[in-house]
Amino acid sequence: MKYLAFFSLMFTILIFSSCASKGGSNPSLGGLVGGASTKIIELEPDWWSNLDPRDSEYEGYEMAKGEGRSNSKRGARSKAVSDLVNEFRQKAKILAEGRTEDFFKETGEDVDANVQQSFSEIQNTIWSGSVEGWREFKSTTVVEESVDRNGNRKNIYRHYIIGGIDLGRANRKLMAKLKSEEALMIEFEKTKAYDKLQADLERYKDRLKD
């Protein structure tokens, strides 16, 4: 009886060991082999993983980065660009809302509600449009070794990209639009935001000649 219990225990251990070895890849990681996470980090380009918006190369731009993974190079790039644009949209929304809030605080309740509403709409329009004109700075595609559900090896493509929104051009369009609204421009000229916008335009005037 003891021998029977012993062999039963050993058989159970062998079954679990076999299942564990077959389940070596994590489905949540898309079938990547063991240690793949470390390999992915090693494959990341330094300019992507250590993006520094303060770098002189990116001066005057609101920077963002994107990453995409797919079975094809084109699919990987498409996903990376989508990821990048989504980040731009979030940043543009924050910029527009922040400037609008500052304008409301500085002008106070005495300003016509229509003027405030017009300022908010202009900000949203300009910054949303700036996303469409983003500039690509760097991009690359790397190949990762992976396995499918049947354990067969295959290649997966991962695309990395960084880009920027030209703040100078966006601010120039913003100023032009504000000037077309006389009542709004009169109130805007009374704010610190106006002085800052003028300073930014002067700072990048050489780059904005075209």
Side-chain angles (χ1 to χ4, degrees), residues 12-31:
T12 302
I13 293 174
L14 287 173
I15 291 295
F16 277 108
S17 297
S18 176
C19 291
S21 63
K22 290 180 180 179
S25 59
N26 187 340
S28 65
L29 297 176

Side-chain angles (χ1 to χ4, degrees), residues 124-193:
N124 290 329
T125 299
I126 294 300
W127 291 110
S128 294
S130 69
V131 173
E132 304 305 319
W134 65 274
R135 172 189 169 186
E136 178 177 335
F137 278 89
K138 298 176 183 178
S139 65
T140 190
T141 302
V142 298
V143 182
E144 301 171 7
E145 289 186 358
S146 183
V147 292
D148 60 23
R149 294 181 180 277
N150 298 318
N152 300 315
R153 290 188 174 276
K154 65 175 184 177
N155 288 333
I156 292 293
Y157 299 94
R158 190 180 295 268
H159 192 83
Y160 299 94
I161 184 172
I162 60 173
I165 293 176
D166 192 329
L167 296 176
R169 294 187 186 282
N171 283 329
R172 184 173 64 176
K173 291 179 180 179
L174 176 62
M175 180 63 85
K177 187 63 178 175
L178 291 172
K179 286 181 177 179
S180 70
E181 304 281 343
E182 184 177 357
L184 174 55
M185 192 62 188
I186 291 174
E187 296 300 329
F188 184 59
E189 287 178 335
K190 300 176 184 178
T191 67
K192 294 178 182 179

Side-chain angles (χ1 to χ4, degrees), residues 95-147:
L95 278 169
E97 290 178 350
R99 290 190 175 188
T100 299
E101 183 178 350
D102 290 342
F103 178 73
F104 286 0
K105 286 180 179 178
E106 286 197 66
T107 54
E109 297 179 356
D110 296 332
V111 175
D112 190 296
N114 291 328
V115 170
Q116 292 185 329
Q117 180 64 28
S118 180
F119 184 86
S120 177
E121 290 175 355
I122 289 174
Q123 285 287 341
N124 290 329
T125 299
I126 294 300
W127 291 110
S128 294
S130 69
V131 173
E132 304 305 319
W134 65 274
R135 172 189 169 186
E136 178 177 335
F137 278 89
K138 298 176 183 178
S139 65
T140 190
T141 302
V142 298
V143 182
E144 301 171 7
E145 289 186 358
S146 183
V147 292

